[in-house]
C-alpha cells in the first residue's frame, strides 16, 4: 500500500484532505516508515475550488486509480451534493480490482451513491447517520463506531475519527511501528479501535469525572500490559465495582474491557515481532498472554497470519524498504 490515490472534486472538505496528506504525504523514511506516493486524482488537472476560498491543483487524472494500492475519498462539504459519474465509475472499478477504498466522514455518501455500500455496514458522523440511512436504505448504517470495514470498503465517523482510520490503514498494511511513528510525528494518539464510541450521550460533571477515571485506568493498563489484568483489577484502580466499571467502560469506549485489553496486547505483540528477535513464547509473555497457545489463536484470528509468518512478512518489508537517510 505504497501508492495512495485521494479522489478530489469541487467542494471536498479541506480538513479531510489535510488529514490524508499529513498521514501519507511526508517522507518519514528516517523514522522507519515506508515512502508513500500520494496523488490527488480528479476528472482533469484543472484547479478545484474548495470551501473557504481554497484552491487545489490535482496532479493525476482518475485513471491513476488503476495504479493505486489504496484509494481514499474525502467528504464533500455538502454531503448530499451529487458526485460526477466518472468519479463514481472510477471508485467502482477500483473496488472491483480488489483495491481497498476508504471514505472519511460524509465520504460514505459518495460510496453509497456509487452503489458500493448496498447491503454493507457503514458509518458516518453520528449527526449525518439518519440522513445517510434515509437516502440509501440498502446501506446498513451505524452511528456509534469510529470506523468500520465491510468487503474492502472502509468508512469513518466525523472529523478526528478520519485520523484514526488513516492510522489504522497504515497499521494494517505496514505494521504497528510504522503507524506509531506517523502518530508520533502528528502528535496524536496511536491507536483507537473502530469500536470506540463516537460520543458520550449525556456529558455531565459526574460523567466527566468518570471519563477521567477511566482514561487514567486505560493509561495505567497500557503500562502494565505484560501483567495479568482482570476486570476486577481495573475496576479497583477506578474505585468501582467490576459490574459498574464494565458498564461505564463500554459506554466510554464502545467495547468491553476484555476486548480493549486484547486489542492492545495484540498491538504490542505486533511491535515486538516487528522490532525484536524474541522467541514467540517470550513475545506472548511480554504482551500479557497467559499461554503461547492462547496468544497464537488470538493473533492468527486478529491479523490473519501466524506470529511467525507475520514476523517473516515484516522482515521482508523492512529489507525491501529504501535505506534510511543519515
Amino acid at each position: 500500500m505504497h501508492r495512495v490515490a485521494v479522489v478530489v472534486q469541487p467542494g471536498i472538505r479541506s480538513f479531510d484532505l489535510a488529514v490524508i496528506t499529513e498521514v501519507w504525504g511526508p517522507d518519514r523514511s528516517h523514522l522507519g516508515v515506508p515512502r508513500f506516493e500520494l496523488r490527488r486524482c480528479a476528472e482533469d488537472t484543472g484547479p478545484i475550488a474548495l470551501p473557504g476560498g481554497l484552491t487545489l491543483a490535482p496532479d493525476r487524472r482518475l485513471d491513476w486509480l488503476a495504479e493505486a494500492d489504496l484509494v481514499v475519498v474525502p467528504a464533500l462539504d455538502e454531503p448530499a451534493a451529487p458526485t460526477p459519474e466518472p468519479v463514481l465509475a472510477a471508485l467502482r472499478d477500483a473496488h472491483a480490482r480488489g483495491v481497498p477504498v476508504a471514505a472519511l466522514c460524509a465520504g460514505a455518501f459518495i460510496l453509497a451513491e456509487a452503489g458500493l455500500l448496498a447491503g454493507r455496514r457503514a458509518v458516518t458522523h453520528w449527526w449525518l447517520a439518519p440522513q445517510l440511512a434515509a437516502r440509501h436504505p440498502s446501506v446498513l448504517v451505524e452511528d456509534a463506531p469510529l470506523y468500520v470495514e465491510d468487503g474492502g470498503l472502509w468508512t469513518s465517523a466525523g472529523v478526528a475519527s478520519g485520523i484514526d482510520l488513516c492510522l489504522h490503514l497504515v497499521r494494517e498494511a505496514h505494521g504497528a511501528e510504522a503507524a506509531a511513528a506517523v502518530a508520533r510525528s502528528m502528535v496524536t494518539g496511536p491507536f483507537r479501535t473502530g469500536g470506540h464510541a463516537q460520543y458520550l450521550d449525556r456529558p455531565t460533571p459526574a460523567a466527566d469525572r468518570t471519563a477521567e477515571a477511566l482514561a487514567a485506568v486505560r493509561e495505567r493498563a497500557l503500562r502494565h500490559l505484560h501483567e495479568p489484568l482482570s476486570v476486577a483489577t481495573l475496576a479497583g484502580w477506578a474505585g468501582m465495582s467490576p459490574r459498574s466499571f464494565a458498564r461505564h467502560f463500554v459506554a466510554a469506549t464502545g467495547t468491553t474491557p476484555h476486548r480493549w485489553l486484547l486489542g492492545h496486547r495484540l498491538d504490542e505483540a505486533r511491535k515486538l515481532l516487528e522490532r525484536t528477535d524474541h522467541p514467540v513464547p517470550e513475545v506472548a509473555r511480554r504482551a500479557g498472554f497467559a499461554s503461547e497457545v492462547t496468544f497464537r489463536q488470538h493473533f492468527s484470528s486478529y491479523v490473519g497470519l501466524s506470529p511467525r509468518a507475520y514476523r517473516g512478512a515484516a522482515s521482508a518489508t523492512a529489507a525491501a524498504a529504501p535505506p534510511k537517510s543519515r
Side-chain angles (χ1 to χ4, degrees), residues 12-20 104 159-160 162-163:
I12 61 170
R13 284 167 43 90
S14 302
F15 181 86
D16 292 355
L17 179 63
V19 167
I20 297 164
L104 306 192
V159 197
I163 300 175

Side-chain angles (χ1 to χ4, degrees), residues 163-229:
I163 300 175
D164 297 308
L165 174 56
C166 291
L167 290 174
H168 180 74
L169 292 170
V170 173
R171 182 183 303 105
E172 286 292 296
H174 306 290
E177 281 295 290
V182 175
R184 283 195 301 271
S185 68
M186 294 175 62
V187 196
T188 188
F191 185 69
R192 285 201 299 174
T193 63
H196 197 106
Q198 285 194 35
Y199 65 97
L200 189 64
D201 271 328
R202 294 175 293 278
T204 64
D208 290 342
R209 288 193 297 272
T210 298
E212 290 175 4
L214 293 174
V217 168
R218 294 196 298 272
E219 182 179 353
R220 184 175 177 181
L222 291 176
R223 298 196 301 268
H224 296 271
L225 282 176
H226 60 286
E227 300 176 4
L229 298 175

Side-chain angles (χ1 to χ4, degrees), residues 79-93:
T83 292
E85 176 55 32
V87 175
L88 302 178
L91 292 173
R92 288 191 289 264
D93 290 344

